[in-house]
Amino acid sequence: MKDKVKGNLVIIGGAEDKYGEKTILKHVTLISGGPEARLLVVTTATEKPEEVGNEYRNVFRSVGVENLDILNIDTREQANSESSVEAFNSATGIFFTGGDQLRITSILGGTKAYEALYNAYLRGVPIAGTSAGASVMSDTMIVEGRDNDAAKKCTVKMAPGLGFMNGAIIDQHFDQRGRLGRLLCAVAENPMMIGVGIDEDTAICVYPEEYFEVIGTNAVTIIDGSSIKSSNVSELKPDEILAITGVTLHVIPAGYGYDMRKKCVLRLKQ
């Protein structure tokens, strides 16, 4: 059976607390080496790299990171440069900002920078991502879908992600933007996968032992497609309301986790 995950990931649902307790960003700092961390913030997803980079520079410095680099890879030529490769090779922690997830995959995919990034992941270097930076972590990612709408067939656009988390589809800003319907559609089309909807200021910490734990102030919704008994998914009659039966759904907050191999909820803290 293909491993679900080989490295350490922190997948954030977006809008993480930057000015209060900063629980999630403190955790990213801690697992990246604490005060000794060499953190790399990658701003490829955003069209405002300087503004976003400076914000994260200030926030991570406020939680004790002194050695921090901002890397904006804006073209595939830059993604094949030795300087980009060296940035990934020297980092003890890597953080992807939000923006447009297709910018990340279309610019990095198949380049020397991606190879260096994936090798860092295999070495156990923690890789974190928020919002669009979260969506790209899985091998199949949601690119577009309808928020606050009933689940409808053929309304979710998907594409290959970075491939760090296998057998899962990540969605972010989940409850806040009403994305249950689109994640149900994604899982109905890919029932061998689990759907993981992560709320804002919430993250899953994914470990090589093939389980994850929830941290942050909100919840994570897990949709297990393996139990589906029937659905009406097809390309016929697109935009028709989705019919799906037997799907398994869990909602878990901090203190809980999920075993991706056994597909069961874990109670990690009493």
Side-chain angles (χ1 to χ4, degrees):
M1 181 181 294
K2 187 176 182 181
D3 291 343
K4 303 295 183 185
V5 65
K6 297 182 176 71
N8 297 290
L9 306 172
V10 181
I11 306 177
I12 309 165
E16 69 280 359
D17 175 19
K18 301 180 183 68
Y19 306 104
E21 291 296 318
K22 308 172 193 171
T23 299
I24 295 171
L25 297 180
K26 285 179 179 177
H27 180 75
V28 172
T29 300
L30 177 65
I31 64 174
S32 297
E36 306 302 318
R38 298 191 304 277
L39 190 63
L40 181 68
V41 175
V42 184
T43 58
T44 299
T46 180
E47 295 183 346
K48 299 178 179 178
E50 185 173 346
E51 177 183 331
V52 172
N54 285 335
E55 180 181 32
Y56 276 106
R57 186 190 303 277
N58 293 331
V59 171
F60 276 115
R61 280 181 173 171
S62 75
V63 295
V65 178
E66 294 296 330
N67 191 346
L68 183 145
D69 289 319
I70 307 297
L71 179 63
N72 181 46
I73 302 176
D74 198 43
T75 66
R76 290 182 62 80
E77 182 180 7
Q78 291 172 350
N80 280 305
S81 69
E82 289 304 316
S83 60
S84 294
V85 170
E86 178 55 30
F88 285 117
N89 287 341
S90 61
T92 64
I94 299 165
F95 184 93
F96 282 88
T97 70
D100 179 351
Q101 51 263 47
L102 267 180
R103 279 184 55 83
I104 299 175
T105 55
S106 63
I107 291 174
L108 295 185
T111 66
K112 293 178 181 178
Y114 174 75
E115 183 179 358
L117 170 64
Y118 196 81
N119 286 336
Y121 162 70
L122 294 178
R123 293 196 306 271
V125 173
I127 299 177
T130 184
S131 191
S135 290
V136 297
M137 295 292 181
S138 53
D139 49 1
T140 301
M141 68 178 184
I142 293 178
V143 174
E144 185 180 349
R146 296 178 181 176
D147 297 349
N148 293 304
D149 197 4
K152 294 183 179 181
K153 300 190 305 184
C154 305
T155 56
V156 178
K157 180 181 178 182
M158 290 182 283
L162 294 179
F164 298 143
M165 187 175 179
N166 295 312
I169 301 170
I170 305 294
D171 210 350
Q172 19 79 13
H173 299 283
F174 191 69
D175 185 61
Q176 290 74 19
R177 297 188 184 177
R179 289 179 166 174
L180 177 61
R182 79 177 198 173
L183 189 57
L184 279 168
C185 288
V187 173
E189 293 175 13
N190 300 272
M192 73 293 294
M193 297 186 178
I194 60 168
V196 182
I198 309 173
D199 290 351
E200 294 179 354
D201 193 36
T202 307
I204 60 171
C205 304
V206 190
Y207 302 106
E209 292 80 9
E210 303 194 10
Y211 77 97
F212 63 75
E213 64 175 318
V214 179
I215 62 173
T217 58
N218 289 302
V220 171
T221 299
I222 301 162
I223 301 174
D224 180 2
S226 65
S227 64
I228 292 174
K229 293 183 178 178
S230 66
S231 77
N232 66 345
V233 167
S234 75
E235 293 185 358
L236 299 175
K237 298 181 180 179
D239 215 34
E240 186 178 54
I241 293 292
L242 176 71
I244 184 170
T245 66
V247 66
T248 300
L249 186 147
H250 310 284
V251 179
I252 56 175
Y256 287 79
Y258 189 77
D259 186 316
M260 292 178 286
R261 185 173 288 274
K262 296 181 180 178
K263 294 189 175 181
C264 65
V265 172
L266 306 172
R267 183 68 184 268
L268 300 175
K269 296 178 182 178
Q270 298 297 325

